[in-house]
Amino acid sequence: MRLLRFLFIEFIYNGHMQSLGVASIVYGASKLFFWQPILYPIFASYLLFQLVYIFDRYHDLNDDYSTNKTRSEHLLSYAQYIPIIFLIYLIALVVILWQTSQVQGIIFTFFILFMGILYPIFFKNLTRHIFLFKNLYVSSVFGLMALYGNIYFYIAPISYSFAIFVFLYIFLETMIMQFMLDCKDTVVDGLKSLKTLPVRFGVERAVAIIYVIIFIKATLYIFLAYSNLTEGLPQFIYLIGATTLINLVAIYLIAKNNSVGYLLSAGKFLLWSIIFSIKI
């Protein structure tokens, strides 16, 4: 039971769910752009983001203790091994890239890794001066992962308009996710003078704004989907509907101070691997 509890907390609190979410985006995007899953970029994307999350958690370990005691205590229980785990992930990523990726894919992967490592050190703090900077930063990186398979193998997307459509969809979904997650960090972010949505407007008003963004995004993308920008793929309609439902449930729970809402928001990108596995 202790091992199962450890693994459960590790999965929930140490970035694995979000890393799998990114891998799910790459999986879904590969079905969109290549009509079949491309395994190596999927594995590489998981390792890439797990490296970023491990570094971020380790860097902010002391700051997070006041707002996320469970995660901090879990990480502290094996903190001395985290650099070794980071190195193992890094070696595995290098091996996969060296054996399977084009040079452009290797450069892009390490660019994302470098920018991810700089995020807690430098870029996150720019939000003190630029409203929502960290949200825009993270959302842009997530959006680019829709094209990771294309960059990995250096293959241009068949339709650039569709590629932009998918990028913006993930970008907006990540912004919504980040706004929700910021609601639990309001105290710490406020002490750091980070200009996040809930710090600027308060949690209650931020929740109302998030509701509005969810409805506007869903309406816009349903319209665009039926304008044939989804290349006639019904899975995208299912994705829009399912993600919108999860967003609404998540923000409702967050407004009720229920931590399950944060888990739903962080895990919603797992839908990509589920929905795009459906054969229609």
Side-chain angles (χ1 to χ4, degrees), residues 15 18-20 22-23 26 40-56 86 89-90 92-94 96-97 105-117 141 144-145 148 152:
Q18 293 95 321
S19 297
L20 284 174
V22 174
V26 177
Y40 292 119
I42 294 170
F43 293 145
S45 64
Y46 170 80
L47 292 170
L48 167 60
F49 272 74
Q50 199 54 34
L51 282 165
V52 171
Y53 280 116
I54 286 174
F55 184 86
D56 179 70
F86 183 93
Y89 277 122
L90 181 61
L93 177 62
V94 169
I96 291 175
L97 291 172
I106 296 173
I107 293 172
F108 177 78
T109 299
F110 280 96
F111 172 75
I112 294 295
L113 177 59
F114 179 70
M115 298 298 281
I117 288 174
V141 172
L144 284 172
M145 295 309 292
Y148 187 57
Y152 195 94

Coordinates of all heavy atoms in Angstrom, one line a residue, residues 15 18-20 22-23 26 40-56 86 89-90 92-94 96-97 105-117 141 144-145 148 152:
G15 N 4.4 16.0 -12.1 CA 4.4 16.4 -13.5 C 4.1 15.3 -14.5 O 3.9 15.5 -15.7
Q18 N 0.8 15.8 -16.6 CA 1.0 16.9 -17.6 C 1.9 16.4 -18.7 O 1.6 16.7 -19.9 CB 1.5 18.1 -16.9 CG 0.6 18.8 -16.0 CD 0.8 18.4 -14.5 OE1 1.1 17.2 -14.3 NE2 0.7 19.3 -13.6
S19 N 3.0 15.7 -18.4 CA 3.9 15.2 -19.4 C 3.2 14.2 -20.3 O 3.3 14.2 -21.6 CB 5.1 14.5 -18.8 OG 5.9 15.4 -18.0
L20 N 2.3 13.3 -19.7 CA 1.5 12.4 -20.5 C 0.5 13.2 -21.4 O 0.2 12.8 -22.5 CB 0.8 11.4 -19.7 CG 1.7 10.3 -19.1 CD1 0.9 9.4 -18.1 CD2 2.2 9.4 -20.2
V22 N 1.0 16.2 -22.7 CA 1.8 16.6 -23.9 C 2.0 15.5 -24.8 O 1.8 15.7 -26.1 CB 3.1 17.3 -23.4 CG1 3.9 17.6 -24.6 CG2 2.9 18.5 -22.6
A23 N 2.4 14.3 -24.3 CA 2.6 13.2 -25.2 C 1.2 12.8 -25.9 O 1.3 12.4 -27.1 CB 3.0 12.0 -24.4
V26 N 0.9 15.2 -28.8 CA 1.7 14.7 -29.9 C 1.1 13.5 -30.6 O 1.1 13.4 -31.9 CB 3.1 14.4 -29.4 CG1 4.0 13.9 -30.6 CG2 3.8 15.6 -28.8
Y40 N 8.2 7.6 -31.7 CA 9.4 8.2 -31.1 C 9.2 9.6 -30.6 O 9.6 9.9 -29.5 CB 10.5 8.1 -32.1 CG 11.0 6.7 -32.4 CD1 11.0 6.1 -33.6 CD2 11.5 5.9 -31.3 CE1 11.4 4.8 -33.8 CE2 11.9 4.6 -31.5 CZ 11.9 4.0 -32.8 OH 12.3 2.8 -33.0
P41 N 8.5 10.5 -31.4 CA 8.2 11.8 -30.9 C 7.3 11.8 -29.7 O 7.4 12.7 -28.8 CB 7.5 12.5 -32.1 CG 8.0 11.8 -33.3 CD 8.2 10.3 -32.8
I42 N 6.4 10.8 -29.6 CA 5.6 10.7 -28.4 C 6.4 10.4 -27.2 O 6.2 11.1 -26.1 CB 4.5 9.6 -28.6 CG1 3.5 10.0 -29.8 CG2 3.7 9.3 -27.3 CD1 2.6 8.9 -30.2
F43 N 7.3 9.4 -27.2 CA 8.2 9.1 -26.1 C 9.1 10.3 -25.8 O 9.3 10.6 -24.6 CB 9.0 7.9 -26.4 CG 8.2 6.6 -26.5 CD1 8.6 5.6 -27.5 CD2 7.1 6.3 -25.8 CE1 7.9 4.4 -27.6 CE2 6.4 5.2 -25.9 CZ 6.8 4.2 -26.8
A44 N 9.6 10.9 -26.8 CA 10.6 12.0 -26.6 C 9.9 13.2 -25.9 O 10.4 13.8 -25.0 CB 11.2 12.4 -27.9
S45 N 8.6 13.5 -26.3 CA 7.9 14.6 -25.7 C 7.6 14.4 -24.3 O 7.7 15.3 -23.4 CB 6.6 14.8 -26.5 OG 5.7 13.7 -26.3
Y46 N 7.3 13.1 -23.9 CA 7.1 12.8 -22.5 C 8.4 13.0 -21.7 O 8.4 13.7 -20.6 CB 6.6 11.3 -22.3 CG 6.6 10.9 -20.8 CD1 5.6 11.3 -20.0 CD2 7.7 10.2 -20.3 CE1 5.6 10.9 -18.6 CE2 7.7 9.8 -19.0 CZ 6.7 10.2 -18.1 OH 6.7 9.8 -16.8
L47 N 9.5 12.5 -22.2 CA 10.8 12.7 -21.5 C 11.2 14.2 -21.4 O 11.6 14.7 -20.3 CB 11.9 11.9 -22.2 CG 11.8 10.4 -22.1 CD1 12.8 9.7 -23.1 CD2 12.0 9.9 -20.7
L48 N 10.9 14.9 -22.5 CA 11.3 16.3 -22.5 C 10.5 17.1 -21.4 O 11.1 17.8 -20.7 CB 10.9 16.9 -23.9 CG 10.9 18.4 -24.1 CD1 12.3 19.0 -23.8 CD2 10.5 18.8 -25.5
F49 N 9.2 16.9 -21.4 CA 8.4 17.7 -20.4 C 8.6 17.2 -19.0 O 8.5 18.0 -18.0 CB 7.0 17.7 -20.8 CG 6.6 18.8 -21.7 CD1 7.0 18.8 -23.1 CD2 6.0 19.9 -21.3 CE1 6.8 19.8 -23.9 CE2 5.7 21.0 -22.1 CZ 6.1 20.9 -23.5
Q50 N 8.9 15.9 -18.8 CA 9.2 15.4 -17.5 C 10.5 16.0 -17.0 O 10.6 16.3 -15.8 CB 9.3 13.9 -17.5 CG 9.2 13.2 -16.1 CD 7.9 13.7 -15.4 OE1 6.9 13.9 -16.0 NE2 8.0 13.8 -14.1
L51 N 11.5 16.2 -17.8 CA 12.7 16.9 -17.4 C 12.4 18.3 -17.0 O 12.9 18.8 -16.0 CB 13.7 16.9 -18.6 CG 14.5 15.7 -18.9 CD1 15.1 15.7 -20.3 CD2 15.5 15.5 -17.8
V52 N 11.5 19.0 -17.7 CA 11.2 20.4 -17.4 C 10.4 20.4 -16.0 O 10.7 21.3 -15.2 CB 10.3 21.0 -18.5 CG1 9.7 22.4 -18.1 CG2 11.1 21.2 -19.8
Y53 N 9.5 19.5 -15.9 CA 8.7 19.5 -14.6 C 9.5 19.1 -13.4 O 9.4 19.7 -12.3 CB 7.5 18.6 -14.7 CG 6.3 19.2 -15.5 CD1 5.9 18.7 -16.7 CD2 5.7 20.3 -15.0 CE1 4.8 19.3 -17.4 CE2 4.6 20.9 -15.7 CZ 4.2 20.4 -16.9 OH 3.2 20.9 -17.6
I54 N 10.4 18.2 -13.6 CA 11.3 17.8 -12.5 C 12.2 19.0 -12.0 O 12.3 19.2 -10.8 CB 12.2 16.6 -12.9 CG1 11.4 15.3 -12.9 CG2 13.4 16.4 -11.9 CD1 12.2 14.1 -13.4
F55 N 12.7 19.7 -13.0 CA 13.6 20.8 -12.7 C 12.8 21.9 -12.0 O 13.2 22.5 -11.0 CB 14.2 21.4 -13.9 CG 15.2 22.5 -13.6 CD1 16.5 22.2 -13.3 CD2 14.8 23.8 -13.7 CE1 17.4 23.2 -13.0 CE2 15.7 24.8 -13.4 CZ 17.0 24.6 -13.1
D56 N 11.6 22.2 -12.5 CA 10.7 23.2 -12.0 C 10.3 22.9 -10.5 O 10.4 23.7 -9.7 CB 9.5 23.4 -12.8 CG 8.5 24.4 -12.3 OD1 8.9 25.6 -12.4 OD2 7.4 24.1 -11.8
F86 N 16.9 13.1 -13.0 CA 17.0 14.0 -14.1 C 18.0 13.6 -15.2 O 17.7 13.6 -16.4 CB 17.4 15.4 -13.6 CG 17.4 16.5 -14.6 CD1 16.3 17.3 -14.8 CD2 18.6 16.7 -15.3 CE1 16.4 18.3 -15.8 CE2 18.7 17.7 -16.3 CZ 17.5 18.5 -16.5
Y89 N 16.6 10.6 -17.2 CA 15.7 11.0 -18.2 C 16.4 11.7 -19.4 O 16.1 11.5 -20.6 CB 14.7 12.0 -17.6 CG 13.5 11.4 -16.9 CD1 13.3 11.7 -15.6 CD2 12.6 10.6 -17.6 CE1 12.2 11.2 -14.9 CE2 11.5 10.0 -16.9 CZ 11.3 10.3 -15.6 OH 10.2 9.8 -15.0
L90 N 17.4 12.5 -19.1 CA 18.2 13.2 -20.1 C 18.9 12.2 -21.0 O 18.9 12.4 -22.2 CB 19.2 14.2 -19.4 CG 20.0 15.0 -20.4 CD1 19.1 15.9 -21.3 CD2 21.0 15.9 -19.6
A92 N 18.1 9.1 -21.6 CA 17.1 8.4 -22.4 C 16.6 9.3 -23.6 O 16.5 8.8 -24.7 CB 15.9 8.0 -21.5
L93 N 16.4 10.6 -23.3 CA 16.0 11.5 -24.3 C 17.0 11.6 -25.4 O 16.7 11.6 -26.6 CB 15.7 12.9 -23.7 CG 15.2 14.0 -24.7 CD1 14.0 13.6 -25.5 CD2 15.1 15.3 -24.0
V94 N 18.3 11.8 -25.0 CA 19.4 11.9 -26.0 C 19.5 10.7 -26.9 O 19.7 10.8 -28.1 CB 20.7 12.2 -25.3 CG1 21.9 12.1 -26.2 CG2 20.7 13.6 -24.6
I96 N 17.1 8.5 -27.7 CA 16.0 8.4 -28.6 C 16.2 9.4 -29.8 O 16.0 9.1 -31.0 CB 14.7 8.7 -27.9 CG1 14.3 7.5 -27.0 CG2 13.5 8.9 -28.9 CD1 13.1 7.7 -26.1
L97 N 16.6 10.7 -29.4 CA 16.8 11.7 -30.4 C 17.9 11.3 -31.4 O 17.8 11.5 -32.6 CB 17.1 13.0 -29.8 CG 15.9 13.7 -29.0 CD1 16.5 14.9 -28.2 CD2 14.8 14.1 -29.9
G105 N 14.9 18.4 -35.4 CA 14.1 17.9 -34.2 C 14.9 18.0 -32.9 O 14.4 18.3 -31.9
I106 N 16.2 17.6 -33.1 CA 17.1 17.6 -31.9 C 17.3 19.0 -31.4 O 17.2 19.3 -30.2 CB 18.5 17.0 -32.3 CG1 18.3 15.5 -32.6 CG2 19.5 17.2 -31.1 CD1 19.6 14.9 -33.2
I107 N 17.5 20.0 -32.3 CA 17.7 21.4 -32.0 C 16.5 21.9 -31.3 O 16.5 22.6 -30.2 CB 18.1 22.2 -33.2 CG1 19.5 21.8 -33.7 CG2 18.1 23.7 -32.8 CD1 19.8 22.5 -35.0
F108 N 15.3 21.7 -31.9 CA 14.1 22.2 -31.3 C 13.8 21.6 -29.9 O 13.4 22.3 -29.0 CB 12.9 21.8 -32.2 CG 11.6 22.2 -31.7 CD1 11.1 23.5 -31.8 CD2 10.7 21.3 -31.1 CE1 9.9 23.9 -31.3 CE2 9.5 21.7 -30.6 CZ 9.1 23.0 -30.7
T109 N 14.1 20.3 -29.7 CA 13.8 19.6 -28.4 C 14.7 20.3 -27.4 O 14.2 20.6 -26.3 CB 14.2 18.1 -28.5 OG1 13.3 17.5 -29.5 CG2 14.0 17.4 -27.2
F110 N 16.0 20.5 -27.6 CA 16.8 21.1 -26.6 C 16.6 22.6 -26.4 O 16.8 23.1 -25.4 CB 18.3 20.8 -27.0 CG 18.7 19.4 -26.5 CD1 18.7 18.4 -27.5 CD2 19.0 19.1 -25.2 CE1 19.1 17.1 -27.1 CE2 19.4 17.9 -24.8 CZ 19.4 16.8 -25.7
F111 N 16.0 23.2 -27.5 CA 15.6 24.6 -27.3 C 14.4 24.6 -26.3 O 14.4 25.5 -25.4 CB 15.2 25.2 -28.6 CG 14.5 26.5 -28.5 CD1 15.3 27.7 -28.3 CD2 13.1 26.7 -28.6 CE1 14.7 28.9 -28.2 CE2 12.5 27.9 -28.5 CZ 13.3 29.0 -28.3
I112 N 13.5 23.7 -26.4 CA 12.3 23.7 -25.5 C 12.8 23.3 -24.1 O 12.4 23.9 -23.1 CB 11.3 22.7 -26.0 CG1 10.6 23.1 -27.3 CG2 10.2 22.5 -24.9 CD1 9.8 24.4 -27.2
L113 N 13.8 22.4 -24.0 CA 14.3 22.0 -22.7 C 15.0 23.2 -22.0 O 14.8 23.5 -20.8 CB 15.3 20.8 -22.9 CG 16.0 20.4 -21.6 CD1 15.0 19.9 -20.5 CD2 16.9 19.2 -21.9
F114 N 15.8 23.9 -22.8 CA 16.6 25.0 -22.3 C 15.6 26.1 -21.8 O 15.8 26.7 -20.7 CB 17.5 25.6 -23.4 CG 18.3 26.8 -23.0 CD1 19.3 26.7 -22.1 CD2 18.0 28.0 -23.6 CE1 20.0 27.8 -21.7 CE2 18.7 29.2 -23.2 CZ 19.8 29.0 -22.3
M115 N 14.6 26.4 -22.6 CA 13.6 27.4 -22.2 C 12.8 27.0 -21.0 O 12.4 27.8 -20.2 CB 12.7 27.7 -23.4 CG 13.4 28.3 -24.7 SD 14.2 29.9 -24.4 CE 12.8 31.0 -24.5
G116 N 12.5 25.7 -20.9 CA 11.8 25.1 -19.8 C 12.6 25.3 -18.5 O 12.0 25.6 -17.4
I117 N 13.9 25.0 -18.6 CA 14.7 25.2 -17.4 C 14.9 26.6 -17.0 O 14.9 27.0 -15.8 CB 16.1 24.6 -17.7 CG1 16.0 23.0 -17.8 CG2 17.2 25.0 -16.7 CD1 17.3 22.3 -18.2
V141 N 4.4 27.2 -25.7 CA 5.2 26.0 -25.8 C 4.3 24.8 -26.0 O 4.6 23.9 -26.8 CB 6.1 25.8 -24.5 CG1 6.7 24.4 -24.5 CG2 7.1 26.9 -24.4
L144 N 3.1 24.7 -29.6 CA 4.1 24.2 -30.5 C 4.3 22.7 -30.6 O 4.7 22.1 -31.6 CB 5.5 24.8 -30.2 CG 5.7 26.3 -30.6 CD1 7.0 26.8 -30.0 CD2 5.6 26.5 -32.1
M145 N 3.9 22.0 -29.5 CA 4.0 20.6 -29.4 C 3.0 19.9 -30.4 O 3.2 18.7 -30.7 CB 3.8 20.1 -28.0 CG 4.8 20.5 -27.0 SD 6.6 20.2 -27.6 CE 6.6 18.4 -27.5
Y148 N 5.2 19.0 -33.1 CA 6.5 18.4 -32.7 C 6.9 17.2 -33.7 O 8.0 17.1 -34.0 CB 6.4 17.8 -31.3 CG 7.7 17.3 -30.7 CD1 8.8 18.1 -30.7 CD2 7.8 16.0 -30.3 CE1 10.0 17.7 -30.2 CE2 9.0 15.5 -29.7 CZ 10.1 16.3 -29.7 OH 11.2 15.9 -29.2
Y152 N 10.2 17.1 -35.7 CA 11.0 15.9 -35.3 C 11.6 15.2 -36.6 O 12.8 14.9 -36.6 CB 10.2 14.9 -34.5 CG 10.9 13.9 -33.7 CD1 11.3 14.1 -32.4 CD2 11.3 12.7 -34.3 CE1 12.0 13.1 -31.7 CE2 11.9 11.7 -33.6 CZ 12.3 11.9 -32.3 OH 13.0 10.9 -31.6

